[in-house]
Amino acid sequence: MIIDREFIRYQRQIALSEIGEAGQAQLANLHVLMIGCGGLGSAASLYLAAAGVGRLVIVDDDEVDMSNLHRQVVYREQNVKSNKVEAMASQLLALNSMVKVRTINTRLEKAQLELEVMLAEIVLDCSDNMPTRQLINQVCLEQKTDLVSASATGWQGQFCVFDYQSGTEEQACYHCLYPFIELQQTRNCTTSGVVGPVVGILGNYQALAVIQKFATGKFHLETSKLHLFDGLKMDWKVMGIIKDQQCSVCSRNKGVPVSLTE
Ligand SMILES: [Zn+2]
């Protein structure tokens, strides 16, 4: 059930037959956990707040740096040296005061992450490092919570939805795609640069996946597929992710276990 001011605010979404008032009400009841408040999180959080997602929990331990501003568009010059989650929360609330935003200004240890994932209905991985991505994947898989993962560097972006809530045992996980926890990114934003709109496109894809799932009742895209964006050619390629039957995270015949908290 939505109230009059929500109907007026969201009428261009409600007008879509796939969404309607019921879909909007689902968004208003939704609890999203977003880890990482950089460029991906800037785009994703703005669109989710604008769309009327009921509750956003945002996690980051970093401060805004001047060099962030070309891509982390939720921040303003006066936010430089402020902590990111507080600066982001104030922008999101300025955009939509009906959204509830909770901030966590620390890196989550596994136990805290497990608690936050338990409270959420979907998780957006907007982080920038492999150990964090692997830990998020492990916890989401264990708790059967959907995971929307993205990353970007240079002109390239990657996007993948893992439907851990309703997916089968044969579906691959993030660790099947990147099986080595010690694999550090050889390229990241600091060493190789990144184009702002490329990060924004990936963050928008993350927001769109959430809106699909909860406003229309299902994902319409192919899950457990790697969507690769090329910002120079401006095209997408979709590749399957083969399940690793020895995956130490998702397979029954687990290979050598790895510590995901190191
Ligand atoms: Zn796996």
Side-chain angles (χ1 to χ4, degrees):
M1 189 69 176
I2 61 172
I3 57 177
D4 284 352
R5 67 176 177 147
E6 290 176 278
F7 187 85
I8 293 165
R9 181 175 192 121
Y10 305 118
Q11 57 178 307
R12 297 296 180 95
Q13 283 177 187
I14 292 169
L16 295 167
S17 60
E18 297 88 354
I19 298 180
E21 287 193 37
Q24 192 62 49
Q26 290 293 328
L27 289 179
N29 289 325
L30 179 60
H31 179 145
V32 175
L33 174 63
M34 191 183 86
I35 299 163
C37 297
L40 296 167
S42 288
S45 66
L46 283 168
Y47 274 99
L48 291 177
V53 163
R55 186 177 297 271
L56 276 167
V57 178
I58 56 176
V59 184
D60 203 299
D61 67 344
D62 208 0
E63 290 185 349
V64 181
D65 187 84
M66 187 63 84
S67 67
N68 298 150
L69 298 182
H70 88 287
R71 65 191 185 283
Q72 301 183 12
V73 294
V74 76
Y75 304 117
R76 301 292 173 260
E77 289 181 1
Q78 69 260 30
N79 298 135
V80 170
K81 298 198 186 309
S82 306
N83 89 51
K84 283 188 173 177
V85 286
E86 295 304 328
M88 178 179 279
S90 87
Q91 289 289 334
L92 299 179
L93 292 170
L95 172 61
N96 190 346
S97 58
M98 289 193 274
V99 176
K100 292 187 173 60
V101 182
R102 180 158 60 85
T103 61
I104 302 176
N105 183 23
T106 183
R107 279 188 188 227
L108 294 178
E109 299 298 324
K110 186 167 186 232
Q112 293 171 284
L113 180 62
E114 286 171 341
L115 181 63
E116 292 298 335
V117 171
M118 197 181 300
L119 295 170
E121 285 150 279
I122 192 163
V123 177
L124 297 195
D125 183 355
C126 303
S127 70
D128 62 357
N129 66 86
M130 186 58 78
T132 300
R133 288 184 193 142
Q134 296 284 7
L135 183 60
I136 293 169
N137 175 66
Q138 183 192 26
V139 173
C140 286
L141 185 102
E142 286 170 357
Q143 299 198 14
K144 297 190 184 306
T145 301
D146 293 338
L147 170 62
V148 182
S149 176
S151 62
T153 184
W155 298 87
Q156 316 293 323
Q158 295 189 4
F159 168 79
C160 193
V161 173
F162 296 96
D163 185 0
Y164 291 143
Q165 189 187 32
S166 52
T168 68
E169 286 211 351
E170 283 313 299
Q171 107 180 323
C173 80
Y174 187 82
H175 192 261
C176 296
L177 181 62
Y178 294 109
F180 303 107
I181 185 69
E182 66 273 18
L183 181 70
Q184 298 295 327
Q185 287 167 294
T186 52
R187 302 175 69 213
N188 60 39
C189 297
T190 307
T191 57
S192 64
V194 63
V195 181
V198 171
V199 189
I201 285 165
L202 274 294
N204 282 337
Y205 259 59
Q206 291 181 285
L208 185 55
V210 173
I211 291 169
Q212 273 197 8
K213 170 72 190 274
F214 292 93
T216 77
K218 64 175 184 179
F219 292 119
H220 297 259
L221 77 163
E222 288 188 283
T223 58
S224 285
K225 298 268 184 181
L226 183 61
H227 299 251
L228 296 170
F229 179 67
D230 182 329
L232 285 172
K233 292 181 184 161
M234 291 202 186
D235 73 0
W236 286 91
K237 287 191 173 49
V238 182
M239 300 168 65
I241 304 173
I242 297 169
K243 183 178 177 81
D244 176 1
Q245 298 299 340
Q246 306 268 293
C247 176
S248 62
V249 175
C250 72
S251 176
R252 281 184 172 184
N253 310 309
K254 292 189 191 327
V256 179
V258 292
S259 168
L260 298 180
T261 53
E262 286 175 357

